[in-house]
């Protein structure tokens, strides 16, 4: 294993709403299971934080197969939030992440606002809660049978979820809202969840897509629709971060850390999101064919920042706004 952040003249540390991370690199929820598989290739404790699969209150078997399909510059998935349920997650996965000293962002999900709150309660009251660096509230998963349950598509629903979860999360533990690009105005949703108590934002989740098998003339996925991820969605992620960061800089919404996610494969990809306004980066789909990607991208990002003469990551965060003249 290699360290994610070798000694450097660049300060890559991140202030995630009061929690200091040594570097900005994270996994993206659902793309590295709960750590053990990736730990064979890199020391996940060296990442800024490891983001778990979204965990629900009860075990979920997920969608039937096929539930993944390759697309140009990306992939579609319709896993359906498969998982063991929060109690098994705490006793097996969170316990293991705690044992290796990882900083953990626990992604939580639910079919109701109350379920979200219950999952958060079980995590933060567990004996392994000291490993938890933040709670990421996945209000934007596109792979639910009832599209009405994509809470992030509705301001009132997203506000209710964040309000109930906030009541369970202790002071000092950041609560991140993971937003969907599949909305008319992502700034409005960002404003709503921040007003409801979110301490930061993760942007973006996958965007809804369909792939047709032209030999059988039917959808590839058993669920027909799936979440599109990979390089194809990076410009959408950069756009979302740009719009929300711009609204923060203009004083139209409250300022909060943004975690950029969507199609990051290289340090240059990560630098795009940072310059647009992200202060931390998640790597997802790239890890399927390169499980060292979260660590490698961090090294590449650090080198690019140093090459441009900066000494701190924070100096580059949002810099594209300062250098843009409409």
């Amino acid at each position: 294993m290699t360290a994610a952040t070798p000694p450097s003249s660049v300060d890559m540390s991140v202030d995630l709403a009061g929690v200091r991370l040594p570097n900005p690199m994270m996994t993206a929820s659902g793309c590295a299971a709960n750590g053990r598989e990736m730990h064979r290739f890199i020391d996940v404790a060296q990442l800024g934080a490891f983001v778990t699969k979204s965990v629900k209150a009860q075990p979920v078997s997920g969608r039937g197969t096929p539930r993944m399909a390759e697309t140009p510059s990306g992939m579609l998935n319709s896993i359906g939030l498969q998982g063991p349920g929060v109690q098994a997650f705490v006793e097996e996965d969170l316990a293991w992440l705690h044992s290796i000293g990882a900083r953990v962002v626990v992604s939580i999900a639910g079919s109701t606002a109350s379920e979200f709150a219950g999952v958060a309660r079980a995590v933060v009251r567990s004996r392994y809660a000291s490993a938890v660096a933040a709670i990421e509230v996945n209000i934007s998963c596109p792979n639910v049978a009832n599209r009405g349950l994509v809470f992030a598509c509705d301001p009132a629903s997203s506000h209710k979820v964040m309000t109930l979860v906030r009541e369970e999360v202790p002071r000092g533990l950041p609560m991140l809202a993971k937003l969907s690009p599949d909305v008319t105005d992502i700034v409005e949703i960002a404003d709503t969840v921040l007003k409801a108590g979110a301490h930061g934002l993760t942007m973006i989740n996958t965007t809804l897509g369909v792939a047709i098998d032209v030999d059988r003339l039917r959808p590839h996925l058993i669920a027909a629709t799936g979440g599109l991820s990979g390089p194809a969605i990076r410009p959408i992620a950069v756009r979302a971060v740009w719009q929300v960061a711009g609204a923060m800089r203009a004083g139209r919404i409250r300022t909060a850390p943004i975690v950029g996610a969507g199609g990051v494969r290289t340090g240059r990809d990560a630098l795009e999101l940072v310059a647009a306004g992200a202060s931390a980066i998640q790597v997802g789909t790239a890890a399927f064919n390169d499980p060292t990607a979260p660590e490698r991208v961090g090294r590449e990002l650090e080198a690019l920042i140093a090459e441009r003469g900066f000494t701190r990551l924070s100096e580059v965060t949002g810099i594209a706004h300062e250098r843009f003249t409409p």
Side-chain angles (χ1 to χ4, degrees):
M1 295 179 183
T2 56
T5 53
S8 165
S9 59
V10 179
D11 178 0
M12 296 291 283
S13 64
V14 173
D15 181 351
L16 190 69
V19 170
R20 178 65 63 175
L21 304 179
N23 65 75
M25 301 312 302
M26 302 180 183
T27 52
S29 179
C31 297
N34 283 328
R36 286 182 172 87
E37 292 87 346
M38 180 170 281
H39 198 61
R40 292 182 294 163
F41 301 95
I42 63 172
D43 183 354
V44 299
Q46 296 300 313
L47 296 172
F50 180 86
V51 185
T52 70
K53 281 174 61 68
S54 293
V55 58
K56 299 186 72 175
Q58 301 300 323
V60 178
S61 58
R63 290 276 178 80
T65 57
R67 52 188 184 180
M68 298 180 75
E70 186 174 356
T71 66
S73 298
M75 58 178 275
L76 283 171
N77 86 82
S78 182
I79 305 300
L81 298 177
Q82 177 185 2
V86 68
Q87 292 304 327
F89 164 79
V90 165
E91 296 302 324
E92 298 174 14
D93 299 310
L94 187 58
W96 178 80
L97 288 162
H98 179 276
S99 74
I100 65 166
R103 291 164 292 275
V104 185
V105 175
V106 178
S107 176
I108 65 171
S111 300
T112 65
S114 296
E115 183 181 351
F116 276 92
V119 174
R121 186 186 314 123
V123 170
V124 301
R125 294 184 182 181
S126 77
R127 55 180 164 165
Y128 305 111
S130 61
V132 180
I135 299 291
E136 184 178 83
V137 187
N138 182 5
I139 55 175
S140 52
C141 178
N143 298 317
V144 291
N146 181 355
R147 292 289 298 159
L149 290 179
V150 182
F151 297 90
C153 293
D154 177 68
S157 297
S158 57
H159 188 281
K160 183 176 182 181
V161 171
M162 300 308 296
T163 298
L164 292 185
V165 174
R166 183 194 60 200
E167 293 173 356
E168 303 295 341
V169 175
R171 185 183 298 274
L173 183 63
M175 183 175 69
L176 309 175
K178 189 168 185 177
L179 303 187
S180 170
D182 294 337
V183 295
T184 303
D185 184 357
I186 197 167
V187 174
E188 179 189 14
I189 301 295
D191 186 31
T192 296
V193 297
L194 290 171
K195 285 178 176 174
H199 304 102
L201 308 170
T202 301
M203 295 188 293
I204 56 174
N205 210 323
T206 57
T207 183
L208 201 62
V210 174
I212 300 293
D213 181 335
V214 295
D215 293 321
R216 296 187 298 161
L217 295 175
R218 53 157 294 167
H220 273 288
L221 301 179
I222 193 70
T225 62
L228 179 64
S229 62
I233 71 166
R234 195 175 69 255
I236 302 173
V238 175
R239 181 268 299 171
V241 171
W242 172 268
Q243 288 180 321
V244 172
M248 291 177 178
R249 297 171 76 91
R252 291 191 284 123
I253 66 174
R254 184 167 67 78
T255 298
I258 297 174
V259 180
V264 173
R265 292 183 300 174
T266 68
R268 296 185 71 88
D269 299 341
L271 186 54
E272 267 200 87
L273 285 164
V274 170
S279 53
I281 297 295
Q282 293 183 354
V283 176
T285 302
F288 283 99
N289 62 14
D290 177 10
T292 72
E295 173 193 279
R296 173 182 52 76
V297 170
R299 290 198 307 271
E300 294 172 357
L301 175 63
E302 185 174 347
L304 289 168
I305 291 172
E307 287 173 11
R308 284 153 179 76
F310 298 98
T311 57
R312 298 193 301 273
L313 171 69
S314 58
E315 295 174 334
V316 190
T317 300
I319 196 170
H321 292 270
E322 301 169 12
R323 299 186 172 191
F324 176 67
T325 303

